[in-house]
Amino acid sequence: AQTVTQSQPEMSVQEAETVTLSCTYDTSESDYYLFWYKQPPSRQMILVIRQEAYKQQNATENRFSVNFQKAAKSFSLKISDSQLGDAAMYFCAYEPGGGADGLTFGKGTHLIIQP
Amino acid sequence: EPEVTQTPSHQVTQMGQEVILRCVPISNHLYFYWYRQILGQKVEFLVSFYNNEISEKSEIFDDQFSVERPDGSNFTLKIRSTKLEDSAMYFCASSQSRGFGEKLFFGSGTQLSVL
């Protein structure tokens, strides 16, 4: 079974600085998808960024980028120029290739932005 | 942006009672999901639903659980006889298509407390 591990229960960063959230996963599959979802205090999870495992190029969405290391099964999220609105729980998630329905989530990292 | 809405935001019930959690997915979406998060633990996949039938379900989704799309807009999760361990945040989600890295749209969740 696939597992997703987020080893940082909480991270803190100064506003305008850069922070990296860690995620590792375990799978025997070669085709899969990885996601970072953000859960602000409103509780509604929002997709931040996604990565297809067959793509070597790291995904980027504005201030958010990932460092995808397939061999190491690592998928970290970098947030540049941190803003107060980035404060939230961040969940790493895995989806096997082939059209499976259920995502496997990590336990989340609580990101605090210090003004 | 269209949203998935869930009602109620909080539900308190006595052990052994039946509860129905309600969700209105995004109108042009075809796939619907329920996830849950027990306090301090991972977000877990429960079930997916497509074309008026269950597409996939996890081991958690036993005979005490059922889902239904009673009309063209609502998607419900029923727990027939609640147990203390059913206390959790329940998230509904929807998507236009299935798997392959498809973006899920989540609701804000229903916090279920079983006393």
Side-chain angles (χ1 to χ4, degrees):
Chain A
Q2 298 89 5
T3 58
V4 176
T5 302
Q6 292 180 250
S7 59
Q8 305 153 318
E10 187 173 279
M11 291 284 285
S12 181
V13 65
Q14 290 289 129
E15 195 176 0
E17 297 294 306
T18 294
V19 64
T20 299
L21 309 183
S22 301
C23 172
T24 58
Y25 58 93
D26 188 25
T27 182
S28 57
E29 305 206 15
S30 58
D31 183 24
Y32 50 87
Y33 303 85
L34 296 164
F35 308 82
W36 280 98
Y37 277 87
K38 170 185 177 182
Q39 186 183 41
S42 65
R43 307 187 312 192
Q44 188 176 37
M45 282 196 285
I46 304 163
L47 179 65
V48 175
I49 198 165
R50 66 186 143 188
Q51 175 81 41
E52 295 95 331
Y54 62 85
K55 288 189 177 179
Q56 291 186 340
Q57 186 173 7
N58 289 323
T60 300
E61 289 285 344
N62 300 312
R63 297 182 296 107
F64 299 86
S65 61
V66 298
N67 183 4
F68 173 49
Q69 301 289 329
K70 191 172 183 179
K73 295 179 182 174
S74 170
F75 182 62
S76 60
L77 174 69
K78 185 171 84 171
I79 306 174
S80 303
D81 185 26
S82 299
Q83 300 175 0
L84 294 177
D86 295 333
M89 284 292 290
Y90 285 81
F91 293 96
C92 179
Y94 168 97
E95 177 194 305
D101 288 354
L103 299 180
T104 300
F105 283 88
K107 290 185 74 170
T109 296
H110 181 211
L111 179 63
I112 298 168
I113 310 294
Q114 305 278 6
Chain B
E1 189 171 57
E3 291 189 344
V4 174
T5 56
Q6 289 186 244
T7 55
S9 57
H10 293 87
Q11 174 95 43
V12 180
T13 189
Q14 295 291 324
M15 189 170 57
Q17 294 296 304
E18 174 184 287
V19 295
I20 298 176
L21 308 183
R22 303 183 190 278
C23 169
V24 179
I26 293 171
S27 60
N28 65 342
H29 285 184
L30 301 176
Y31 294 85
F32 315 112
Y33 313 84
W34 285 100
Y35 285 79
R36 80 171 186 190
Q37 184 181 27
I38 296 172
L39 185 64
Q41 298 188 22
K42 300 183 179 188
V43 176
E44 300 171 294
F45 169 72
L46 293 179
V47 66
S48 58
F49 191 85
Y50 169 72
N51 199 26
N52 285 319
E53 61 182 27
I54 290 174
S55 175
E56 187 177 323
K57 61 182 181 179
S58 71
E59 292 178 351
I60 303 168
F61 194 88
D62 61 22
D63 292 344
Q64 291 297 314
F65 292 90
S66 63
V67 289
E68 191 177 37
R69 190 156 162 82
D71 52 43
S73 59
N74 290 284
F75 179 51
T76 62
L77 174 69
K78 182 192 290 185
I79 309 175
R80 289 190 181 84
S81 178
T82 50
K83 306 170 191 167
L84 295 176
E85 53 265 36
D86 293 327
S87 294
M89 180 75 77
Y90 288 82
F91 292 101
C92 175
S94 69
S95 64
Q96 286 186 318
S97 61
R98 170 180 174 265
F100 300 104
E102 182 70 18
K103 176 181 178 180
L104 296 189
F105 291 78
F106 284 87
S108 297
T110 294
Q111 179 66 56
L112 177 65
S113 298
V114 181
L115 306 179

